[in-house]
Amino acid sequence: MDHSSTEAEAGGGSTGDGSVETELSRDMSLFDITFIGVGAMIGAGVFALTGFAAGIAGPALTIAFIINGFVAMFTAVSYAELGAAFPEAGGGYLWVKEALVDPNGFYAGWMSWFAHAVACALYAVTFGTFFVEFLRIGFGLPTEFALLGFITPIMAEKGLAALVVVAFAYINFRGAEETGKAGVIVTGIKVVILGIFVAFGLTTTFNNPNWTAKFLDSPSFAPNGFIGIVGAMGFTYIAFEGYEIIVQSGEEVVNPGKNVPKAVFYSMAIVVPIYVLVAFAAIGGITPTADLISKAAGVSGSAASVPTWELLGGLGELGIIEAAGQFVPYGAFLLLFAGLAATMSALNATVYSSSRVSFAMGRDRALPAFFDRIHPDKRTPHWAILLSGILIILMAISLPIESVAASADLMFILLFVQVNWTVIRMRQTHPDLPRTYKVPYMPWPPLIGIGLQFLLTPFLVYELGLKPGIGPGSEGFVALITTAVWMIIGLGVYYGYSKQKEAEQMEEETPTVVTERVPSEADNQIVVPIANPESAPQLMRTATDIARDRNGEILVMSIVTVPQQTPLSEGRKFIDDQRNVLDEAMAIAEDEDVPVSGTIRIGHDVSKAILNTVEQYDSDAVLMGWKGQHKSQRRDIVLGSNVDEVVQNADCDVLVERIGPDEGAAESILVPTAGGPHAELAAEVADNIARSNGATVEVIHVVGPDATESERADAQTVLDEAKDDFNEGTTVTTELLTGDDVVDTIVERTGEHDLTIIGATREGLLQQFVFGALPEQVGWRSKSTIIMAKRNLGITSRLSRWLR
């Protein structure tokens, strides 16, 4: 019969927000996801930071961009491996929280929130600067104007930055999001306009017979030496973090195991040459004039004596805009239009990202609960959006653009260090993770990535804060102090709030709203999650057979699931439907005189509700149903996301039953065995059911046709030991079978029995198999009822879960 227990409709799985569905929608192609990465990297960074970086590195900025791409690749490969293995939203925060001990997970989210907020502040400040410049050119305003007698350019820029953050915060509050097609169009516009800029810039450069002097004689290719190159690399490193956005889209990508790594590498291959060409065209194409020198901060001298890289550095975020105004027809308007499009696109995405990170931390109780609140009408996390918007505005109006960029760089560097360490740890803690792409020469690439990113940090601060004539004063120290203060605040939040909330979170995540008789303190308790009324009779018969023979009790539970965007209180509207299912299931146990109690929980996540119930009542076993059909295309989902999660993390024995066409009491039971604790559990369950129904049991072991006499003797010993696990009153026969394929042989024999019970073949650490290859293949292929059993091995199972 078509069976589902609470996994419930386990063949399909569950969405990230806890709602159950048949399968994730995957409609993004390799082209789409590559353009997401390209669009993220060719954002406000290339428009706003190229001029500043030229002032730090000189003509060697081209080399700085090439090396930066090389450095970024050592982290990109880590994102490629983990993004392919975990194709779901969350990215670095998810992986660090999964693999490293606290407070690493908290800090990953804390830094990610701040980094996205600071990046958003950079986009807002850039928008304000570009918009003011657009108005100045369009209306012929002087460089130092005073609108209404008191609104100066800097006031207008900061005011516009704040307004645009408010606008996009409101858009996110309303629930509007940029569509994928619009994102591709905006990215295409940016690439085309930058292509025009490069074409005209190269033409202008090479038409100048003395163009090499701009690179080699000004006063040198690298006027500030190695320190200048590395400082520019650190300053522009934020522009290369687009692979973080790529992996966030993994849930929507066709064949993410292959396409996510390809998109990471393709986007880097597209972006690095564009950055190099933009830098070369800007330095080679611009011509110093008295007017430009007057606009450039900290630059003085005659037009013939000022190097173009120094001029670009003084012009700052308007560097390539002014360059385009010289050698591209309508160039200033074109670049400003592209820059405004880039900043608005990036603003929408980063306001969303920043607020969702804080919302997720609020949901996990890493931040106060009001971050998790949902607006009753808009169904969006309005407090998370509001507070993220305030943080973004404070950063945008209080810090210079150089400090904003540097602060974001520092935070992303720290996050990337954690991700690089995570990919190393997961090779140890998750050895069987399905990796369609693997970082070669492990652990050296991520270790080199960690070392190189630590190398960038002091040079970044030095260039912006210490070296006279290069950085604009103390901006590097401002960025460093801002980052340090945020980290210290995070330490206080974690130990003063988050850590204490971990123990309280369990009941809040899945509150008990209905209890039909409080569970007793029987020696043995079986939890039976029920979702489908049609599957309840057979599951309850199995549970009563086991509980009766063990003198135990049954705890029936039903779960009302609501999306993450919906308050748990909304789930109370659906309690009555679940109460009927609960009452019908409990009636089956009552008719058999087996002690039974019931509970209904509301939660965002089915598996978490089950795990919390098991922990709260210190249950001994959980019995779940499984469809055994519509296998998920996702390699990280085996039996179904909820079943997988419970099997891997429950602190009790786990039984998963796939109900066959015959729903009556079992008269004959098959127990394939290869020895071990999981096989012993399968034998115990078979004994419980056989004693309750007067059924016969056949225990089998399969050997190959080429098995030696010694191997056959060892196999017979396994059978004899398995038979000894049964009570004397149970009728048990054993048989040693010979077959070329173990699964084929077992599946063929299952047709002769009403029920097959098989133990897991190994512990799983987020591996491709949850119970092991053999039990799952038997479960998928057999037509009769199958129960897969997994023993809780105490400290061994706890250690496995901790390593996850």
Side-chain angles (χ1 to χ4, degrees):
M1 73 178 273
D2 183 59
H3 168 63
S4 57
S5 153
T6 121
E7 136 57 333
E9 286 71 16
S14 169
T15 65
D17 61 9
S19 56
V20 177
E21 61 178 23
T22 302
E23 190 173 300
L24 289 173
S25 174
R26 297 182 178 276
D27 54 9
M28 294 180 65
S29 66
L30 175 60
F31 175 84
D32 295 328
I33 195 173
T34 300
F35 253 64
I36 286 176
V38 171
M41 285 187 264
I42 304 180
V46 69
F47 294 95
L49 303 183
T50 300
F52 288 116
I56 296 172
L61 177 60
T62 52
I63 301 300
F65 278 144
I66 293 173
I67 301 176
N68 232 0
F70 177 75
V71 171
M73 283 300 297
F74 284 101
T75 298
V77 293
S78 298
Y79 271 84
E81 175 172 319
L82 296 175
F86 292 89
E88 52 190 290
Y93 172 45
L94 170 71
W95 309 329
V96 173
K97 186 178 179 182
E98 179 79 13
L100 304 184
V101 297
D102 285 333
N104 279 285
F106 169 83
Y107 261 122
W110 186 251
M111 290 187 299
S112 180
W113 180 31
F114 187 74
H116 283 93
V118 175
C120 194
L122 169 64
Y123 304 144
V125 171
T126 304
F127 175 87
T129 302
F130 283 6
F131 198 84
V132 167
E133 184 68 8
F134 191 86
L135 294 177
R136 191 187 65 79
I137 296 175
F139 292 95
L141 298 174
T143 303
E144 296 297 331
F145 58 80
L147 295 178
L148 303 178
F150 68 95
I151 302 178
T152 63
I154 188 64
M155 291 175 60
E157 290 169 7
K158 296 296 187 178
L160 285 167
L163 286 175
V164 77
V165 173
V166 170
F168 279 100
Y170 180 71
I171 289 172
N172 274 265
F173 165 71
R174 297 275 302 192
E177 298 179 26
E178 178 186 47
T179 65
K181 288 184 179 180
V184 170
I185 292 171
V186 170
T187 300
I189 291 172
K190 292 186 291 185
V191 171
V192 169
I193 292 178
L194 286 177
I196 295 172
F197 175 86
V198 168
F200 278 93
L202 293 180
T203 301
T204 303
T205 299
F206 295 135
N207 283 338
N208 181 353
N210 297 319
W211 69 269
T212 55
K214 293 184 176 182
F215 294 89
L216 303 178
D217 302 328
S218 57
S220 67
F221 180 68
N224 298 305
F226 174 77
I227 292 177
I229 294 175
V230 180
M233 288 170 56
F235 185 68
T236 59
Y237 196 62
I238 187 177
F240 292 86
E241 56 88 23
Y243 41 76
E244 166 92 12
I245 309 299
I246 290 175
V247 300
Q248 295 277 7
S249 306
E251 290 185 357
E252 304 172 51
V253 183
V254 176
N255 195 0
K258 291 185 177 180
N259 286 337
V260 166
K262 286 182 179 180
V264 169
F265 300 134
Y266 290 170
S267 61
M268 291 291 291
I270 293 170
V271 166
V272 173
I274 290 176
Y275 276 17
V276 173
L277 289 171
V278 167
F280 186 89
I283 294 171
I286 194 171
T287 300
T289 64
D291 180 57
L292 287 182
I293 293 173
S294 67
K295 297 178 182 178
V299 178
S300 61
S302 66
S305 64
V306 174
T308 55
W309 60 266
E310 185 178 344
L311 176 64
L312 288 169
L315 292 170
E317 63 269 35
L318 294 177
I320 67 170
I321 305 298
E322 296 289 357
Q326 277 195 341
F327 55 74
V328 180
Y330 306 102
F333 278 108
L334 277 176
L335 266 293
L336 284 170
F337 175 77
L340 289 170
T343 52
M344 288 190 290
S345 173
L347 270 166
N348 189 50
T350 47
V351 168
Y352 178 89
S353 299
S354 178
S355 63
R356 266 37 177 198
V357 171
S358 59
F359 168 68
M361 294 183 73
R363 188 180 61 220
D364 294 340
R365 295 301 179 264
L367 292 178
F370 57 77
F371 279 91
D372 184 30
R373 291 178 184 169
I374 303 295
H375 192 273
D377 295 327
K378 304 303 180 185
R379 302 295 179 91
T380 52
H382 55 296
W383 278 105
I385 293 172
L386 173 64
L387 294 172
S388 294
I390 292 173
L391 176 63
I392 293 166
I393 290 173
L394 288 175
M395 295 291 294
I397 64 176
S398 63
L399 296 181
I401 188 171
E402 303 94 319
S403 294
V404 172
S407 297
D409 281 320
L410 289 173
M411 279 297 172
F412 277 118
I413 285 173
L414 292 173
L415 178 61
F416 293 163
V417 166
Q418 284 188 306
V419 170
N420 278 322
W421 182 243
T422 294
V423 78
I424 297 173
R425 285 287 297 154
M426 281 194 172
R427 286 290 184 95
Q428 301 169 345
T429 60
H430 299 62
D432 296 312
L433 191 69
R435 293 174 170 88
T436 53
Y437 170 79
K438 298 180 72 174
V439 177
Y441 308 111
M442 280 287 285
W444 295 111
L447 286 178
I448 293 171
I450 291 172
L452 291 175
Q453 286 169 115
F454 276 132
L455 178 67
L456 291 177
T457 304
F459 285 104
L460 167 63
V461 177
Y462 182 80
E463 279 300 329
L464 289 177
L466 287 179
K467 198 169 181 63
I470 297 177
S474 60
E475 278 80 0
F477 279 125
V478 171
L480 186 61
I481 291 171
T482 301
T483 302
V485 168
W486 185 256
M487 298 295 284
I488 293 170
I489 293 173
L491 198 66
V493 171
Y494 178 75
Y495 286 104
Y497 176 83
S498 307
K499 194 172 179 64
Q500 285 73 19
K501 287 295 180 180
E502 290 177 354
E504 304 173 12
Q505 183 182 1
M506 184 189 309
E507 180 65 18
E508 293 178 4
E509 288 173 340
T510 54
T512 304
V513 292
V514 174
T515 299
E516 300 286 351
R517 294 190 298 278
V518 178
S520 68
E521 295 184 359
D523 292 337
N524 195 285
Q525 183 188 80
I526 303 172
V527 175
V528 184
I530 296 290
N532 188 341
E534 296 180 0
S535 64
Q538 181 59 41
L539 280 178
M540 290 303 298
R541 274 193 291 269
T542 300
T544 53
D545 288 343
I546 297 172
R548 182 190 298 112
D549 194 58
R550 296 183 178 185
N551 293 318
E553 68 169 358
I554 299 171
L555 173 60
V556 186
M557 67 175 297
S558 185
I559 305 159
V560 176
T561 57
V562 293
Q564 298 286 11
Q565 295 84 356
T566 303
L568 292 177
S569 59
E570 293 295 310
R572 296 180 182 274
K573 300 176 181 178
F574 308 101
I575 288 175
D576 289 340
D577 295 337
Q578 297 300 317
R579 189 193 297 270
N580 295 334
V581 174
L582 197 72
D583 290 342
E584 291 176 6
M586 291 175 62
I588 296 172
E590 291 169 347
D591 291 344
E592 298 291 333
D593 293 326
V594 173
V596 62
S597 56
T599 182
I600 299 176
R601 286 187 176 241
I602 302 175
H604 293 302
D605 185 272
V606 170
S607 58
K608 187 171 291 185
I610 297 171
L611 293 171
N612 287 348
T613 301
V614 168
E615 184 171 345
Q616 179 178 344
Y617 292 108
D618 194 22
S619 305
D620 299 279
V622 59
L623 171 64
M624 302 180 71
W626 172 48
K627 276 186 173 182
Q629 56 181 320
H630 306 305
K631 191 171 184 178
S632 173
Q633 294 181 1
R634 283 181 55 178
R635 295 186 61 190
D636 59 324
I637 293 179
V638 181
L639 307 178
S641 59
N642 292 319
V643 167
D644 289 2
E645 188 72 20
V646 173
V647 173
Q648 291 165 340
N649 293 305
D651 196 14
C652 67
D653 296 340
V654 180
L655 306 173
V656 174
E657 181 170 3
R658 175 187 178 276
I659 300 176
D662 297 326
E663 300 181 19
E667 296 181 0
S668 63
I669 303 172
L670 177 68
V671 182
T673 185
H678 304 302
E680 291 174 0
L681 174 61
E684 290 177 18
V685 173
D687 192 35
N688 297 146
I689 297 175
R691 284 160 56 86
S692 293
N693 294 281
T696 60
V697 179
E698 181 183 28
V699 182
I700 64 171
H701 182 84
V702 182
V703 296
D706 298 329
T708 64
E709 288 300 322
S710 174
E711 290 171 339
R712 297 180 72 86
D714 291 342
Q716 187 60 51
T717 300
V718 170
L719 285 173
D720 294 340
E721 291 176 349
K723 185 176 182 179
D724 291 340
D725 291 334
F726 289 82
N727 285 282
E728 293 182 0
T730 304
T731 303
V732 182
T733 60
T734 63
E735 185 172 356
L736 185 61
L737 301 179
T738 301
D740 292 318
D741 185 279
V742 176
V743 174
D744 287 343
T745 305
I746 294 176
V747 170
E748 183 178 351
R749 183 57 65 98
T750 62
E752 302 175 11
H753 297 273
D754 302 315
L755 172 65
T756 299
I757 306 177
I758 185 169
T761 54
R762 59 177 172 178
E763 286 279 340
L765 295 176
L766 267 185
Q767 57 194 13
Q768 186 172 357
F769 300 108
V770 177
F771 283 96
L774 191 149
E776 289 166 19
Q777 288 298 319
V778 172
W780 284 108
R781 294 169 55 184
S782 177
K783 303 298 183 183
S784 60
T785 299
I786 304 289
I787 296 177
M788 290 179 281
K790 188 172 185 180
R791 170 84 78 188
N792 180 38
L793 299 179
I795 186 63
T796 303
S797 292
R798 289 188 179 92
L799 180 61
S800 297
R801 288 191 290 272
W802 181 81
L803 288 174
R804 290 184 59 247

